[in-house]
Amino acid sequence: MSKVWHYGDDINTDMLFPGKYTYSCSTAEQILPHLLEDLDPGFATGVRPGDFLLAGKNFGCGSSREQPALGLKAAGVEAVVAKSYARIFYRAAVNQGLLLIESPEAVEAYKEGDEVRLDATAGTITVGGQSFSFPSLPEAILAIRNAGGLLPYARAKLRVRV
Amino acid sequence: MGKTFAEKILARKSGRDALRPGEIVTVRPDRLLSHDNTAAIVAKIAVDLVEFGPARKDMHVVVLDHVVPAATEKDAENHKAIRRYVQRYGVEHFFDVGTGVCHQVMVEKGLALPGDLIVGSDSHTCMYGALGAFATGIDRTEAAALILTGETWLKVPESIRIDLSGGLSPGVTAKDLILSLIGRLGADGANYQCVEFHGAAELSIDERLTVANMGIEMGAKAAAFEVDARTVEYLDSIGVRRDGYEPVWADSDAEYSRRMDFDLSTLGPVVAKPHTVDNVVSVEEVEGTPIDQCVLGTCTNGRASDFELAASILKGKQIASGTRLLLLPASREVLRRAIASGAIDALLAAGGTLLPTGCGPCLGAHQGVLAAGERCLSTSNRNFRGRMGCAKAEIFLASPATVAASAIHGRISDPRKEIK
Ligand code: SF4
């Protein structure tokens, strides 16, 4: 069963990835050992592909550093489910191809030990047996996601132009 | 129906007639800013750059400011890689170590102008809204894609209108205004939105810069002020031609998601307690809290007027023993002005320590990192746990006046008591 990592409101980027490493760590291998270091020291060693991260409002606020989004994607986190997101983090996740689900109801419904399951095509997230639907992404964002992130998307565009 | 600042400027930059909030548009920003993170950005597209080259040579502004001068060999290698990129691809706007914090440099060098659309791979890019630009933060991957394509996508935000009235009392500053506002709205109170400040004629450009700088601390996509006589006067003073920019402002009947009135004369000095910026209380509530380190400066409050204000309080006095006072001018220009005015001398005589112009201890990478259990009172913009390099230290945020008054006593103090 995939594990659910559950945190509170206003989880900022310093908690997700300490600022002191921003100029020394930029690749997935460098980022992973420090992911969520000041928030949950057990996360970096415990996270497995397919896990979910649940959080309250304003997830990812603070600095524009992309290491949290890049790191969570590289760690194989299936999706982040939060009540709301800070906007730069939201963009960073789009750019990395990390799925963010905004569902205050799903977060509220979660109780310790509940199983979380995602059906991306149906646009539903199931928490402890209760199902919640989330809206599909706008077309412009979907195109980036389908290309595998912003850089592959930009490259494809440039190739067409040449 | 009228249009907001954001709707107008994004319509202009995307070549569209009319836009509504929620629409996604493709835009070509006037400027892209990056700093010490430039090498990491460029590394993502090293191969593509060889194949395609950068889309535009005049768009990218690179400023070395975060860990300057280099603290470790690794930092030095990073700076070296950035200089190599700048040279190889003919980046027109490059500012090396010591010029200043990127945001202050953008403003001083006339690279952030009224009516401009600016993106930067730094969250405090929103500061240029003080001059009537639409400016917002992006991440490194997006910056990399922008270097290649010269364009990106933006969602047209809803806007919040804030009407200012009255004037600030002595000892109360623009920092108290923006901290109070963040305290009221909350750290996500303006998430995804553009915050328009109306009725700001009384605020100086420096004060507007402090306010706009912290827009991101309430989640704002952008913060904006109307271009007025003071803006034009400032731009004249740095040598920007009047026909070199085209101001944009909201219509009087634009639609807002929220409106707020703010009477400046009712404000007192405030402090943001650890570990969130919206944890704002009046200075009286925390008066007497012992402080190990005071920081005066950063892109939020590191301008000449900030040092002059602090010097007016500390002149002829000594900082308390057991407290250290770090002076961090936002740019070389600022430092020169603060030297010429005598402010730096007064602050050094009082026991201050002058740091190189740049980000210094603000991000916890070097110069003034805190130890466990220590408490810092800073004029910077973030007090997150671990921000100054130690997760077991505490950061309080306040105005330059409050920091100066507190340095005298080694405890958080009310600046109004020091002003005669
Ligand atoms: S001074 Fe601080 S807030 Fe400003 S750009 Fe530097 S690190 Fe960021």
Side-chain angles (χ1 to χ4, degrees):
Chain A
M1 192 177 99
S2 54
K3 195 169 155 62
V4 179
W5 303 82
H6 186 213
Y7 306 107
D9 289 339
D10 297 310
I11 301 298
N12 63 57
T13 49
D14 278 285
M15 294 155 97
L16 295 172
F17 188 80
K20 60 188 169 199
Y21 305 127
T22 39
Y23 302 103
S24 47
C25 303
S26 44
T27 63
E29 299 73 51
Q30 293 166 334
I31 293 167
L32 286 172
H34 301 297
L35 209 54
L36 275 62
E37 190 169 281
D38 287 342
L39 175 67
D40 181 352
F43 182 86
T45 45
V47 66
R48 296 284 171 270
D51 285 0
F52 288 90
L53 203 149
L54 247 69
K57 70 173 177 69
N58 204 23
F59 185 82
C61 61
S63 142
S64 68
R65 75 187 64 128
E66 69 182 7
Q67 286 93 334
L70 208 157
L72 291 172
K73 174 77 186 173
V77 166
E78 184 78 21
V80 181
V81 187
K83 292 186 183 172
S84 66
Y85 297 93
R87 69 159 282 277
I88 303 182
F89 178 79
Y90 182 88
R91 286 181 86 82
V94 169
N95 295 341
Q96 299 305 332
L98 170 70
L99 182 62
L100 301 185
I101 296 169
E102 188 166 309
S103 177
E105 302 80 21
V107 176
E108 285 291 344
Y110 179 76
K111 293 180 302 313
E112 221 50 60
D114 276 353
E115 191 182 353
V116 172
R117 262 176 306 138
L118 167 77
D119 186 339
T121 21
T124 58
I125 181 109
T126 310
V127 175
Q130 263 180 284
S131 221
F132 304 92
S133 57
F134 55 89
S136 59
L137 295 167
E139 229 169 279
I141 295 176
L142 210 57
I144 295 170
R145 212 184 131 67
N146 291 341
L150 183 65
L151 282 174
Y153 175 79
R155 283 181 191 118
K157 253 182 142 176
L158 283 169
R159 297 249 140 70
V160 174
R161 237 183 253 170
V162 182
Chain B
M1 196 197 17
K3 300 267 167 230
T4 63
F5 167 76
E7 288 160 11
K8 279 191 179 177
I9 203 162
L10 293 178
R12 184 200 278 180
K13 296 296 172 184
S14 61
R16 302 264 300 271
D17 278 345
L19 292 175
R20 300 301 306 152
E23 281 186 65
I24 291 180
V25 290
T26 301
V27 288
R28 297 180 66 77
D30 296 288
R31 305 276 176 220
L32 162 70
L33 167 80
S34 65
H35 43 67
D36 291 35
N37 56 17
T38 306
I41 292 167
V42 173
K44 293 174 187 289
I45 48 168
V47 177
D48 312 276
L49 270 173
V50 173
E51 188 177 348
F52 304 106
R56 283 160 48 199
K57 287 187 173 31
D58 64 340
M59 176 183 66
H60 198 178
V61 182
V62 178
V63 185
L64 296 185
D65 63 352
H66 269 54
V67 187
V68 297
T72 63
E73 190 179 340
K74 214 167 174 179
D75 302 321
E77 289 295 343
N78 180 44
H79 292 165
K80 188 173 154 188
I82 295 169
R83 292 187 192 100
R84 212 183 304 127
Y85 157 72
V86 162
Q87 228 185 0
R88 176 157 182 200
Y89 291 103
V91 174
E92 280 176 24
H93 305 288
F94 172 62
F95 302 95
D96 213 321
V97 171
T99 316
V101 181
C102 56
H103 305 307
Q104 181 64 17
V105 171
M106 283 287 288
V107 167
E108 279 175 4
K109 302 291 180 189
L111 294 168
L113 296 177
D116 275 359
L117 171 65
I118 302 169
V119 293
S121 61
D122 188 280
S123 60
H124 295 102
T125 298
C126 53
M127 186 172 94
Y128 327 136
L131 298 173
F134 187 95
T136 192
I138 57 170
D139 69 14
R140 294 175 180 180
T141 297
E142 189 166 347
L146 257 158
I147 292 173
L148 288 177
T149 64
E151 62 184 36
T152 192
W153 61 276
L154 284 178
K155 186 158 115 184
V156 181
E158 295 189 301
S159 298
I160 296 178
R161 174 176 167 148
I162 294 174
D163 282 276
L164 304 175
S165 63
L168 294 164
S169 317
V172 185
T173 72
K175 182 61 160 291
D176 300 298
L177 156 62
I178 186 63
L179 284 176
S180 303
L181 188 59
I182 294 165
R184 267 184 232 182
L185 278 171
D188 61 347
N191 202 6
Y192 299 111
Q193 312 229 8
C194 175
V195 182
E196 290 179 8
F197 290 90
H198 292 246
E202 290 298 311
L203 297 182
S204 70
I205 297 302
D206 283 4
E207 290 174 315
R208 296 177 200 182
L209 288 166
T210 298
V211 171
N213 176 276
M214 293 192 71
I216 181 69
E217 307 310 332
M218 45 186 173
K221 180 170 200 154
F225 283 82
E226 184 171 13
V227 174
D228 62 8
R230 285 195 180 210
T231 324
V232 173
E233 190 191 332
Y234 173 75
L235 293 170
D236 285 352
S237 78
I238 57 167
V240 175
R241 288 170 51 121
R242 289 198 187 181
D243 59 5
Y245 53 90
E246 211 183 314
V248 178
W249 193 235
D251 297 324
S252 54
D253 58 344
E255 247 187 65
Y256 296 94
S257 65
R258 182 168 182 183
R259 292 180 71 141
M260 271 175 93
D261 289 315
F262 226 84
D263 181 354
L264 302 183
S265 64
T266 61
L267 292 176
V270 292
V271 173
K273 297 197 294 181
H275 297 282
T276 57
V277 185
D278 59 0
N279 192 9
V280 176
V281 297
S282 71
V283 72
E284 290 95 336
E285 260 181 75
V286 282
E287 218 174 345
T289 309
I291 294 296
D292 301 289
Q293 174 168 294
C294 291
V295 174
L296 193 61
T298 77
C299 61
T300 317
N301 275 124
R303 282 168 279 276
S305 55
D306 297 313
F307 289 99
E308 281 149 20
L309 175 61
S312 73
I313 291 168
L314 274 160
K315 198 174 167 86
K317 305 227 169 84
Q318 282 297 311
I319 63 169
S321 66
T323 302
R324 39 198 198 268
L325 170 64
L326 305 182
L327 312 170
L328 183 67
S331 74
R332 184 181 286 129
E333 273 314 300
V334 162
L335 178 57
R336 290 184 61 203
R337 276 187 53 197
I339 287 174
S341 71
I344 293 293
D345 188 53
L347 292 169
L348 291 175
T353 302
L354 183 61
L355 300 180
T357 54
C359 298
C362 185
L363 73 158
H366 68 153
Q367 294 175 349
V369 167
L370 299 170
E374 283 195 321
R375 218 174 266 131
C376 180
L377 181 67
S378 172
T379 63
S380 53
N381 46 32
R382 279 198 181 130
N383 58 355
F384 299 160
R385 192 190 295 281
R387 172 79 182 179
M388 285 187 173
C390 173
K392 295 197 177 89
E394 292 187 329
I395 305 165
F396 291 70
L397 305 177
S399 77
T402 303
V403 169
S406 305
I408 298 172
H409 304 287
R411 293 168 180 280
I412 296 181
S413 306
D414 188 335
R416 291 170 297 193
K417 295 181 183 163
E418 307 299 327
I419 292 169
K420 269 122 228 146

